[in-house]
Amino acid sequence: METAYLIETVIKIVVILLVFSALAGIGTYFERKVLAFMQRRLGPMNVGPYGMLQFGADAIKLFTKEDIIPTNVVSPIFKIAPVITVSTAFIAAAAIPFLPSFTLFGYEVHPIIADINIGILYILGVMGIGLYGPLLGGMASANKFSLLSAARSAVVFISYEVVAGLSILAPIMLVGSLSLIDFNNYQIENGWIILSQPVAFLMFWIAAFAETGRTPFHLIANDHEIIDGFGTEYSGMRWGLFYIGEYANMFFISFVISLLFLGGFGDGSVIGAFLFLGKVAFFFFCFLWARAAWPDVRPDQLMWLCWKVLMPIAVINIIITGVVIMEG
Amino acid sequence: MFEAIAFYLFSFLTISMFYITVTTSQALYALTALAAGMIFISAFFFILGADFLGAVQIMVYSGAVMALYAFGMMFFDTTREVKEKQGNRFVIVGLSLVAAVLIVVIFAAPIVTDNITALYPITEGVGNTQDIGMVLFTKYLVPFEVAAVMLLVAMISGIILAGKKMDLSLTLMDEDEIKEMKKEEENKKVLL
């Protein structure tokens, strides 16, 4: 293994960690502002110009707050649960190409940490482990609401994963590869996959909402039903880690959706790269938009939706795609 | 060098996780260690270059252990220790050691003299996933299909066992309807 490769990889890992931890913090600012404007409020206004330094204030508060471990909790599991959420989110990001490859000081940089040829499977699998965070945090907490939230996270897990897996199977059959780079290159020649697989796109998008636990399926930590769910007993930075994991996941799944269905970064030009970031920003905005516009569903409604509606549609979509590929 | 480091690191982690799973009397520790061990095993697939199997290992076992957690939640108070009935510890340790050695001997004895060669070497220029597909749909087609049929059988029997009152939804019923249903059930019990 070359030394240059090693150094490059370490630098890429550090950059991605720093950028997305910061983005997760700034994401909360965006969320507050977007929600506020949709509800005819101003949102955070006092800290810094236009409230822009609010996330810094939040970070200082979270970092300096006392880390309380309540008496009856199973403390090793309780302590490790937020780490699972945040670390799996970032481990999953190892296979995401964030930008087209570019040349920096005569050295070609590929902004992907590991170009493994099973990128999508790896990302979905590792992101799925992220739900162990809420589950373990909830079960270790010795709190009724946390336990309810843990049960709900198991429900979310067994419902969304089937839909996510089956819905991307049809695009995978079209492309013939599991690598996100191959997906991108396929879409340069054949047009965006959303045009040939709109049903798969919609279903994967719905599954993404369930995967990140955002509002239509925010039942894991539904404030008005079960307080903060798994986060009820947490305080300080451990609670903050859950937050960073959730927002990092939202960004990463936005990258994945844009790469899978909306052409990714195209042929690698500068415009393509900016368009790619624009698509990612749009999907992130949709997460916030849905939170302002949609009510929450119940856990049984989520299971009904995933198993009785989306799964049959996904299977039919796969069969139709298979028949079309065989004919053509 | 990195492969060796990764191999020994993950061997240590996997074995210690499964050791915790077996020895602890805390349901939550056992389940979490089981999940962690299953996920650490995927590292060996990645080290061997079998990326597809590694990712599948993560996906399948993270889901499977999640179902175990659901059962654990129903049967135990997972924040308390389970009181286990323990017999003679030496007998248990001795028997499990003998069983482990026997299993290793049974599987290793027939092939210990052979030179182990790969029956299906990796095809050049083809990805990992395609390789598995080729073997799965030619040489191992029958076991693959049999596994599929068995899973289907398991699914149908699961639906039949669990789906006795599937068309009833307590959340959609009125209070009166629920009371009526309970009364009917009580009457049935009297008849029996």
Side-chain angles (χ1 to χ4, degrees):
Chain A
M1 209 166 283
E2 297 171 56
T3 323
Y5 172 77
L6 202 65
I7 296 172
E8 190 197 331
T9 308
V10 170
I11 291 175
K12 278 192 281 197
I13 291 172
V14 170
V15 167
I16 286 174
L17 267 178
L18 289 179
V19 167
F20 282 96
S21 309
L23 266 182
I26 300 168
T28 61
Y29 170 74
F30 284 137
E31 171 153 33
R32 286 182 185 187
K33 275 293 185 198
V34 169
L35 282 182
F37 286 136
M38 287 186 177
Q39 296 160 351
R40 298 198 176 180
R41 302 184 278 118
L42 284 174
M45 285 299 275
N46 287 328
V47 192
Y50 216 64
M52 300 240 278
L53 297 177
Q54 181 67 45
F55 90 93
D58 288 346
I60 292 170
K61 180 202 164 195
L62 285 177
F63 272 110
T64 52
K65 204 172 174 183
E66 187 192 349
D67 179 25
I68 300 167
I69 308 289
T71 322
N72 283 326
V73 301
V74 185
S75 77
I77 308 279
F78 184 83
K79 283 177 191 162
I80 210 170
V83 184
I84 291 174
T85 300
V86 75
S87 58
T88 49
F90 283 102
I91 292 171
I96 301 176
F98 288 103
L99 285 173
S101 53
F102 55 89
T103 322
L104 194 71
F105 306 120
Y107 187 84
E108 205 190 355
V109 183
H110 299 277
I112 174 170
I113 294 172
D115 182 13
I116 45 179
N117 52 21
I118 42 128
I120 306 161
L121 268 188
Y122 172 82
I123 292 169
L124 285 181
V126 178
M127 271 190 175
I129 302 175
L131 274 173
Y132 269 88
L135 179 83
L136 292 177
M139 286 182 79
S141 274
N143 180 320
K144 286 175 208 133
F145 297 104
S146 303
L147 192 65
L148 274 178
S149 142
R152 284 179 177 200
S153 70
V155 165
V156 169
F157 189 86
I158 57 173
S159 357
Y160 93 87
E161 214 181 28
V162 163
V163 179
L166 286 179
S167 64
I168 57 162
L169 212 54
I172 289 172
M173 281 157 69
L174 280 182
V175 178
S177 165
L178 291 164
S179 159
L180 286 172
I181 305 252
D182 285 349
F183 261 84
N184 186 55
N185 295 340
Y186 172 88
Q187 293 177 79
I188 298 172
E189 293 163 19
N190 299 296
W192 291 3
I193 290 180
I194 185 178
L195 299 176
S196 50
Q197 291 285 349
V199 182
F201 166 71
L202 278 179
M203 278 185 300
F204 189 76
W205 203 8
I206 294 171
F209 274 93
E211 203 281 320
T212 48
R214 295 300 299 182
T215 272
F217 313 120
H218 189 229
L219 31 98
I220 301 179
N222 221 346
D223 312 24
H224 47 263
E225 292 172 5
I226 48 173
I227 314 181
D228 196 25
F230 58 90
T232 309
E233 298 279 355
Y234 282 91
S235 67
M237 203 52 214
R238 286 190 201 282
W239 187 83
L241 283 180
F242 275 128
Y243 230 70
I244 292 174
E246 184 186 336
Y247 278 80
N249 251 340
M250 280 159 68
F251 277 108
F252 294 142
I253 204 91
S254 306
F255 272 100
V256 172
I257 297 177
S258 325
L259 275 164
L260 285 180
F261 294 101
L262 287 177
F265 43 74
D267 48 5
S269 59
V270 180
I271 301 171
F274 276 104
L275 266 178
F276 181 45
L277 293 182
K279 290 169 208 165
V280 173
F282 170 74
F283 281 111
F284 185 76
F285 174 72
C286 282
F287 278 119
L288 312 182
W289 191 5
R291 181 167 179 193
W294 282 75
D296 277 309
V297 301
R298 292 193 313 259
D300 63 315
Q301 285 170 328
L302 173 67
M303 287 186 104
W304 172 83
L305 179 73
C306 285
W307 285 98
K308 287 194 182 169
V309 181
L310 293 180
M311 195 184 79
I313 296 178
V315 172
I316 291 168
N317 188 36
I318 290 170
I319 292 171
I320 292 175
T321 312
V323 169
V324 169
I325 290 176
M326 268 176 73
E327 295 292 315
Chain B
M1 189 190 73
F2 287 108
E3 277 180 8
I5 294 175
F7 176 78
Y8 285 112
L9 175 69
F10 282 105
S11 320
F12 173 74
L13 282 173
T14 311
I15 292 171
S16 51
M17 283 303 141
F18 286 131
Y19 179 77
I20 294 173
T21 312
V22 175
T23 51
T24 181
S25 60
Q26 236 292 2
L28 200 52
Y29 287 169
L31 286 169
T32 312
L34 183 68
M38 286 299 181
I39 287 161
F40 286 140
I41 282 182
S42 72
F44 298 112
F45 289 110
F46 286 120
I47 292 170
L48 289 171
D51 301 351
F52 181 79
L53 283 180
V56 167
Q57 167 90 15
I58 293 180
M59 289 187 97
V60 168
Y61 281 100
S62 60
V65 181
M66 188 71 94
L68 260 184
Y69 273 103
F71 281 110
M73 224 181 288
M74 285 187 263
F75 293 139
F76 303 111
D77 180 356
T78 42
T79 53
R80 303 273 180 283
E81 291 203 348
V82 179
K83 278 199 187 100
E84 284 178 277
K85 192 184 159 196
Q86 279 177 331
N88 190 337
R89 284 192 172 210
F90 296 103
V91 173
I92 293 171
V93 170
L95 280 180
S96 39
L97 264 180
V98 170
V101 171
L102 262 182
I103 286 175
V104 172
V105 168
I106 287 169
F107 282 102
I111 54 169
V112 77
T113 49
D114 301 344
N115 282 327
I116 296 171
T117 46
L119 281 175
Y120 293 92
I122 293 173
T123 322
E124 282 300 320
V126 182
N128 201 270
T129 322
Q130 283 90 336
D131 251 345
I132 287 178
M134 278 185 227
V135 178
L136 211 55
F137 285 98
T138 52
K139 165 98 176 166
Y140 295 110
L141 181 64
V142 175
F144 182 59
E145 293 296 331
V146 169
V149 171
M150 280 173 73
L151 282 176
L152 189 66
V153 170
M155 191 174 80
I156 291 172
S157 47
I159 291 172
I160 288 172
L161 284 178
K164 276 173 191 156
K165 283 183 184 169
M166 244 177 1
D167 47 344
L168 283 178
S169 168
L170 285 177
T171 36
L172 294 178
M173 286 163 89
D174 288 336
E175 198 74 11
D176 299 336
E177 281 178 315
I178 294 174
K179 272 179 192 165
E180 213 167 277
M181 197 183 74
K182 275 187 181 167
K183 256 185 196 172
E184 275 177 21
E185 276 180 6
E186 275 173 14
N187 288 340
K188 267 184 199 167
K189 274 174 198 163
V190 171
L191 281 176
L192 283 171

